[in-house]
Amino acid sequence: MKALSPEVSALLDKLYNLRGEDSVILVDMYKQKHKAEETKERTTEEKKELQEKIADLEQLNEALNDQGDKLVSVLSGIDRSEYAIVLDRLKIDFNPHALVEKINKSLPRTIDSVTLETKKAAEKLLKVEDEMNTAITTIDELAIRRDAALANQAKLNEYFELALTGSINITRDSITTLLAQFGFSEADQREAAKLLMFPEDALLIYEARLREKEKSGKSIIDVIAEAKGAEPVNEAALRMIDDEIPLEFDIEDEEEVEEETIEYEEEIDTSKEAILEILQQNGLDYLDFSGKDLDYLIANFEPELMEKNIAYVNKIGVHPDLFLNHAGLMIDSELEDKFKILLDVGKEAIDIYLNPVLLEKYSKEDLIDAINDIKNNGMEPKNVPLMAY
């Protein structure tokens, strides 16, 4: 059976994923919806607690003012000398004048502190309500987006069924327009359109392998991972194949190329399987990574460093999806040091998680220099947004 290039296999992996219930788009929407629902539930409870707290604080403020005025009025009308014999005999330390002074001095500060606490609670309530409303809006928008995604998925499956039965009569523009809805690049749109319009070149081969693997009882993850083959990497040869120019090798050359190809395929497959396993073990779906990022990880395969960096971000409470669109950070030998430098100047882990470009932008030494420049300019690094570094 003809071998498929890694690029074509990766593209078909992505397309087939989008056809099923485990579509990365649908799964991502589910995650977003679940997160938004959790936020809505949490903020609804927080709103209720804050409203109760504000009501209690307002009631306390009113009581302090009212009772304070009454107490001062009562104490001011008392002449201690009229009760001196009883107070002295019973050794009661009662000085109305001193109490009035203490109340007049302390009560305003106490009232101010309650007022300030009420203000802070009210400000927090506004933020919580905003977060809650955003979550509600997100849930509503996701419902609309999910309906659109399901409609696009149904159309994609229709195109595939037509292609696999050899009766596709859809224009390339129709296919590329649909794939644009899934976020495909223009290059991938054109390649995918070619695969559907000329299924005998690769699609039917891929489909046959899937069917064969499914019969073996293996999981869909195993099916997709093992369905990939590899073409020879000689670029000139690949260009000639694309241009349909016959390749002429003598037997010895052909055997040598075949041996090199087998060795290369085995090396690629070994690295790829190891990477898939590392990602899967750490809750990352390789389909969320671009083919370019996966190729980079394969070409610069360092499993121990990958596992070390993923373990470190987990340890400090940062989700490993930090590495999505920033796969190079998984094999950055200075990643932990750069995190620690930023944490030491007072940055929160969440700040760094939201600004991973900074970790790519600077080496360890360059990051230290950037922080020193901020200090030399009389600013506190903790208070300077990371995007301004």
Side-chain angles (χ1 to χ4, degrees), residues 59-322:
Q59 186 176 0
L60 175 60
N61 191 303
E62 184 179 350
L64 286 170
N65 278 288
D66 184 47
Q67 293 181 22
D69 289 342
K70 289 180 180 178
L71 185 56
V72 168
S73 177
V74 171
L75 291 172
S76 297
I78 297 175
D79 183 355
R80 188 185 189 286
S81 62
E82 295 180 6
Y83 311 99
I85 294 175
V86 173
L87 294 172
D88 292 342
R89 189 68 179 179
L90 297 178
K91 297 180 180 181
I92 296 175
D93 183 16
F94 177 65
N95 187 335
H97 179 71
L99 287 173
V100 169
E101 286 187 347
K102 184 174 182 180
I103 292 171
N104 286 335
K105 181 179 179 181
S106 300
L107 184 58
R109 290 203 299 265
T110 301
I111 292 174
D112 285 345
S113 68
V114 173
T115 301
L116 179 60
E117 190 175 355
T118 305
K119 181 181 178 182
K120 288 182 177 179
E123 290 174 349
K124 186 174 182 181
L125 176 60
L126 288 175
K127 292 180 180 179
V128 167
E129 287 179 330
D130 185 58
E131 188 179 5
M132 181 180 69
N133 291 334
T134 299
I136 293 172
T137 300
T138 298
I139 293 171
D140 293 339
E141 290 178 348
L142 284 170
I144 297 172
R145 285 172 52 198
R146 187 174 186 276
D147 288 343
L150 288 172
N152 288 335
Q153 185 185 65
K155 181 64 68 176
L156 180 65
N157 280 327
E158 177 187 342
Y159 288 178
F160 262 86
E161 292 304 319
L162 290 172
L164 291 170
T165 56
S167 56
I168 190 165
N169 57 355
I170 308 298
T171 65
R172 187 179 75 168
D173 286 345
S174 297
I175 299 173
T176 56
T177 299
L178 174 63
L179 294 177
Q181 303 299 313
F182 290 99
F184 280 75
S185 66
E186 290 186 5
D188 281 348
Q189 290 173 32
R190 290 193 297 270
E191 181 62 26
K194 178 181 176 184
L195 293 173
L196 288 170
M197 297 178 74
F198 304 99
E200 64 278 1
D201 290 346
L203 179 57
L204 295 179
I205 298 170
Y206 186 93
E207 177 74 14
R209 284 180 177 168
L210 283 182
R211 298 303 173 212
E212 183 180 339
K213 298 296 181 181
E214 287 172 354
K215 289 179 181 178
S216 69
K218 296 190 176 184
S219 69
I220 188 62
I221 293 177
D222 293 332
V223 169
I224 292 177
E226 295 179 14
K228 300 177 180 179
E231 291 285 351
V233 296
N234 184 294
E235 292 184 2
L238 287 176
R239 284 197 297 272
M240 284 187 281
I241 291 174
D242 289 339
D243 296 336
E244 298 182 356
I245 300 176
L247 295 176
E248 296 182 2
F249 295 105
D250 60 33
I251 296 176
E252 291 183 0
D253 288 339
E254 190 171 346
E255 290 177 350
E256 182 178 347
V257 170
E258 185 175 352
E259 289 177 1
E260 291 177 355
T261 299
I262 293 173
E263 292 176 1
Y264 175 78
E265 290 178 355
E266 290 176 349
E267 181 180 346
I268 290 292
D269 288 342
T270 300
S271 298
K272 186 174 291 186
E273 288 175 8
I275 288 173
L276 293 180
E277 184 176 354
I278 291 173
L279 295 178
Q280 188 177 15
Q281 287 176 348
N282 289 278
L284 293 170
D285 191 336
Y286 83 99
L287 290 170
D288 291 338
F289 290 81
S290 69
K292 182 178 179 181
D293 279 345
L294 289 174
D295 288 343
Y296 180 80
L297 292 175
I298 292 170
N300 301 276
F301 187 45
E302 295 187 56
E304 293 181 1
L305 184 55
M306 283 181 64
E307 292 181 334
K308 176 187 174 185
N309 284 340
I310 294 175
Y312 175 74
V313 298
N314 273 320
K315 178 182 176 182
I316 62 174
V318 172
H319 196 283
D321 63 10
L322 162 81

